[in-house]
Amino acid sequence: MAAARLGYRCHILTPEADSPAEQVSAAVTHGDYEDRAALRAFAQAVDVITFEFENVSAVGLDLLASLKPVRPSPAILRISQYRIAEKTFLNANGAPTAPWCPVETLDDLQAAVAALGLPSVLKTARFGYDGKGQATLRAPEDLVPAFEELNPKPLILESFVDYAAEISVIVARGSDGSYAAFSTVENRHRDHILDLTLAPAPLAPAIANAAQAMARRVADGLDLVGLLALEMFVDRNGRVLANEIAPRPHNSGHWTIDACPASQFELHIRAVAGLPLPAAERHSDAVMKNLVGPDETALWPAILRTPGLIPHLYGKKEARPGRKMGHVTRLFPRGGLPGAFGIAAALGPLAL
Ligand code: AMP
């Protein structure tokens, strides 16, 4: 929709029938992300290619990149798909993380726990999202069952961060090195799924600025062309630790559709299409609340009756538990983000 507003016609490649993106796009190719014939036909029909989902095939993207420009590059997607490469890259580029170790065998895990202590978090290196593919180890007897359950290997073990807040920064970067970053936001999760984003994060300016500087180092280090979210923790000492990158529009940036002259989606398209990047300014503060699963989606009629709630529904067919079906944004005057009670009141039927 952001691309259409800039005068572009979008062509979607997806394995899914009746996907939300194709409902609002000019053309669609249905095919698997590794279907070479579909990928070739798709590349022939378009001028430039991007992705808005991390679990696309990097091999498929390589084929596309041999035919048309792909932005961000497949190399950046590969880093984001493999936690060991991701943490190695972050640590080498001025983005400290919680201490971590790669874990291939049970012996590795025992050595890693001896080094990092408990509690700690064991994660699959690939295919984790929304808290899937990870386990918190609290006691020695947790090691074997968690190791056996988590697949595929390799895994990584990370120190448990007793965080004061989870935050993120979304940045856009053009091929000429032009750069724009949205405000640092706070993300609150429920059942490992993003529930609320507060924009801006209610943090001391020094902490919010440290997060901005870290996101810039990461984007420059990756030589990013496109848009990227950096997810971080703020620990109890106010230290910012990187957690992971997502080289695409991110759920913690959905508030920008309503609170900014140019949203994360517009900046993504501009960066990918080689257009000038405007500043990522916000005209309002905002709270974004996800609509997850059937229970929250059932509140839709009440949401529509509540003044001030800006509704977004994605057009997904089935509201399965844990599935993100849409979101709601509530705007506040700049500088006027309320505290917890004010936010709850402003969310009306969604204040749980
Ligand atoms: P991830 O898949 O790495 O984004 O992890 C999903 C969620 O698990 C994060 O948003 C945190 O809420 C939690 N989490 C992940 N890693 C850690 C950690 N090292 N310490 C504490 N909580 C974590």
Side-chain angles (χ1 to χ4, degrees):
M1 286 150 79
R5 206 155 52 81
L6 293 170
Y8 295 117
R9 287 188 290 165
C10 279
H11 186 146
I12 305 299
L13 173 77
T14 174
E16 209 184 325
D18 190 30
S19 68
E22 78 182 78
Q23 293 165 16
V24 295
S25 296
V28 63
T29 297
H30 289 119
D32 189 84
Y33 297 132
E34 292 194 347
D35 175 341
R36 299 179 70 84
L39 291 168
R40 282 182 194 285
F42 174 71
Q44 235 162 29
V46 302
D47 298 307
V48 59
I49 297 165
T50 189
F51 49 91
E52 48 96 72
F53 177 55
E54 256 136 278
N55 291 333
V56 296
S57 158
V59 172
L61 223 51
D62 285 337
L63 172 61
L64 292 173
S66 71
L67 300 167
K68 289 286 162 68
V70 173
R71 299 171 182 149
S73 67
I76 296 180
L77 178 75
R78 278 202 167 79
I79 291 174
S80 76
Q81 285 179 331
Y82 188 48
R83 287 189 201 276
I84 293 173
E86 185 178 47
K87 305 264 176 196
T88 303
F89 169 84
L90 289 167
N91 294 162
N93 284 272
T97 58
W100 62 277
C101 296
V103 169
E104 186 87 49
T105 64
L106 197 51
D107 283 349
D108 293 345
L109 178 58
Q110 264 138 7
V113 168
L116 302 181
L118 294 176
S120 53
V121 184
L122 189 62
K123 302 178 180 180
T124 55
R126 296 186 191 277
F127 306 121
Y129 66 100
D130 286 349
K132 295 187 177 73
Q134 64 169 274
T136 303
L137 310 182
R138 298 183 187 281
E141 56 269 27
D142 296 342
L143 270 62
V144 173
F147 179 82
E148 282 172 358
E149 191 182 314
L150 290 175
N151 282 301
K153 309 291 189 283
L155 310 174
I156 79 167
L157 187 75
E158 283 174 35
S159 291
F160 184 86
V161 181
D162 178 25
Y163 55 79
E166 292 192 73
I167 62 173
S168 58
V169 173
I170 293 173
V171 305
R173 192 169 175 280
S175 55
D176 58 354
S178 57
Y179 183 84
F182 290 99
S183 310
T184 306
V185 299
E186 178 174 346
N187 301 314
R188 300 198 180 154
H189 294 79
R190 200 146 41 96
D191 302 328
H192 294 288
I193 299 171
L194 182 65
D195 179 41
L196 282 180
T197 294
L198 277 50
L203 288 174
I207 299 174
N209 292 341
Q212 294 277 318
M214 193 180 289
R216 171 125 216 187
R217 290 193 291 273
V218 168
D220 287 344
L222 288 168
D223 201 13
L224 172 73
V225 179
L227 186 97
L228 170 144
L230 175 65
E231 299 178 22
M232 293 156 281
F233 301 116
V234 182
D235 75 10
R236 301 275 161 194
N237 300 316
R239 223 177 132 226
V240 177
L241 297 171
N243 180 33
E244 61 182 18
I245 59 171
R248 54 169 170 80
H250 191 256
N251 195 172
S252 73
H254 288 1
W255 63 277
T256 63
I257 301 170
D258 300 307
C260 301
S263 72
Q264 64 163 346
F265 297 97
E266 179 166 341
L267 264 60
H268 176 210
I269 295 300
R270 281 180 177 246
V272 163
L275 301 183
L277 290 182
E281 284 166 344
R282 66 178 201 283
H283 52 68
S284 302
D285 289 358
V287 172
M288 188 283 310
K289 166 89 179 83
N290 268 337
L291 300 177
V292 179
D295 294 351
E296 290 184 343
T297 309
L299 297 170
W300 189 248
I303 291 166
L304 292 178
R305 283 194 299 271
T306 307
L309 295 186
I310 306 174
H312 299 257
L313 210 53
Y314 306 148
K316 296 183 185 178
K317 258 200 190 123
E318 201 194 337
R320 294 193 288 272
R323 197 170 192 209
K324 292 171 179 169
M325 302 302 294
H327 71 270
V328 164
T329 312
R330 183 75 156 84
L331 298 182
F332 302 91
R334 226 186 116 109
L337 193 71
F341 292 115
I343 288 171
L347 289 175
L350 287 166
L352 301 173

